[in-house]
Amino acid sequence: LSNLSRNVGQFFEEYHSNYRNAEIWLLKSINYQIETGKEFDVNSITSPVGLLTKTYLKQNKYDEALELRERIATYHKSINQFSQETASALASSAKLYRALGRPDQAELKYAEALEVYEKIALESSSNEAKYDIANTLHSLALTIQDQGQYTDAREKLEKSYVIMEDLSKTGEYVNAMPNFINSLAEIYRIEALNNDNDKKTLEERAENLYLEAIRILREDKLNNGEPKQQELLAIVLSNLSSLYCQPSRWEEAEKIHMEALIVFEEDIKA
């Protein structure tokens, strides 16, 4: 019944833009799953939760979308407070809060998700458990950075970077590394703008990290990397260009900026 209701809801949402009927059927699907004690894949856009969230957002029903995510997180916590599903539901809720411009609420949810992931990691030494901690720390740091708390954000980004560096040595999550590197480089660059005493040190750290991310992404490009990775390459190049935007490095800044534009254009054509 849950899958049938989901399919009907998806039909109304995607093919007829009949959001009212889509809501009715997708809610039925979700309620069936809750009644039978089944868990939700909160990260899939084709799951009942993903489809209903999208339906709400298309109608600017932001509060309803947030309430849905909160409901699913609460449901998973009632089954097992320290499960992978609970952590994923909390992180998913945090991601939506941040996207909708509510960083204070997003921060709370990410912190709660991090606590669950750390609890899981105590019982599992798997690389996946370590990655979940690094990824949530990264998202929490960016949310804190949104609120202008750069010192706290930097400390969390440094922690996530260390975890990812260790993971990459095992050969896993190498493709995820540039995103973490770029975020840490960016906060060093931003801090350098307002810190005359450590300006040179911070700029050197940022530059070395940008170059590291670019090296990884260029190697990925040679190996027919994914479009998202090439978009990230353009972003990192643009950020490095911003770092070089000072009288002594104008030529370098212009060269890197032009390369970023070329990569952006290639990404659009792809």
Side-chain angles (χ1 to χ4, degrees):
L1 285 176
S2 178
N3 287 336
L4 176 61
S5 299
R6 185 203 71 83
N7 292 341
V8 174
Q10 184 177 23
F11 176 78
F12 278 119
E13 192 274 327
E14 292 186 354
Y15 298 104
H16 291 281
S17 297
N18 186 331
Y19 300 129
R20 178 56 187 154
N21 277 333
E23 285 180 30
I24 292 171
W25 284 98
L26 291 171
L27 276 172
K28 281 184 179 181
S29 176
I30 290 168
N31 289 335
Y32 283 135
Q33 282 196 233
I34 290 175
E35 287 169 8
T36 55
K38 293 182 179 178
E39 294 166 338
F40 291 90
D41 182 357
V42 295
N43 296 314
S44 171
I45 60 172
T46 59
S47 71
V49 175
L51 288 168
L52 185 54
T53 300
K54 182 172 70 170
T55 300
Y56 283 143
L57 294 178
K58 281 185 175 181
Q59 301 173 85
N60 298 325
K61 292 183 175 181
Y62 304 127
D63 288 338
E64 287 86 343
L66 290 167
E67 286 171 8
L68 172 65
R69 291 290 172 164
E70 290 276 13
R71 180 189 177 196
I72 300 304
T74 300
Y75 167 69
H76 280 296
K77 278 195 277 187
S78 71
I79 298 174
N80 184 347
Q81 185 178 356
F82 296 107
S83 69
Q84 183 78 27
E85 290 74 22
T86 295
S88 294
L90 287 166
S92 177
S93 178
K95 183 178 180 180
L96 185 57
Y97 271 117
R98 184 177 179 225
L100 293 177
R102 303 186 191 182
D104 53 338
Q105 287 297 109
E107 181 182 347
L108 292 173
K109 295 299 175 185
Y110 275 131
E112 195 175 349
L114 180 61
E115 182 183 356
V116 177
Y117 279 130
E118 288 175 337
K119 178 75 172 178
I120 293 171
L122 291 175
E123 302 172 3
S124 170
S125 58
S126 69
N127 287 345
E128 182 182 0
K130 294 174 184 176
Y131 174 75
D132 286 335
I133 290 175
N135 193 41
T136 308
L137 262 173
H138 179 258
S139 298
L140 176 58
L142 296 182
T143 304
I144 292 171
Q145 184 178 329
D146 290 343
Q147 301 171 76
Q149 301 171 34
Y150 297 114
T151 301
D152 192 11
R154 171 173 44 79
E155 290 173 354
K156 287 179 171 54
L157 286 172
E158 288 172 339
K159 286 180 182 178
S160 68
Y161 172 78
V162 169
I163 297 171
M164 290 301 299
E165 194 172 35
D166 287 341
L167 285 175
S168 66
K169 291 175 183 176
T170 69
E172 292 193 67
Y173 302 103
V174 175
N175 288 343
M177 192 69 186
N179 190 38
F180 289 80
I181 298 171
N182 178 62
S183 296
L184 183 56
E186 266 295 272
I187 204 159
Y188 283 143
R189 182 182 71 82
I190 292 168
E191 286 191 314
L193 296 173
N194 303 302
N195 192 328
D196 292 333
N197 293 330
D198 297 323
K199 183 178 178 67
K200 185 176 180 181
T201 300
L202 290 167
E203 286 182 342
E204 287 177 352
R205 288 179 183 174
E207 181 179 14
N208 289 334
L209 287 167
Y210 285 137
L211 292 173
E212 182 184 357
I214 290 168
R215 177 187 61 78
I216 295 171
L217 289 164
R218 279 177 173 160
E219 288 177 1
D220 185 61
K221 184 179 181 181
L222 290 174
N223 294 318
N224 298 315
E226 296 179 4
K228 284 187 177 180
Q229 291 291 81
Q230 298 320 298
E231 180 183 348
L232 179 58
L233 174 58
I235 291 170
V236 178
L237 286 166
S238 180
N239 290 340
L240 179 60
S241 174
S242 296
L243 178 68
Y244 288 164
C245 277
Q246 42 192 303
S248 62
R249 310 191 77 168
W250 287 131
E251 289 187 10
E252 290 175 280
E254 182 179 8
K255 179 182 176 182
I256 296 296
H257 183 68
M258 291 304 297
E259 185 178 352
L261 286 175
I262 291 170
V263 176
F264 267 126
E265 289 174 355
E266 289 176 351
D267 183 54
I268 291 172
K269 292 176 182 177

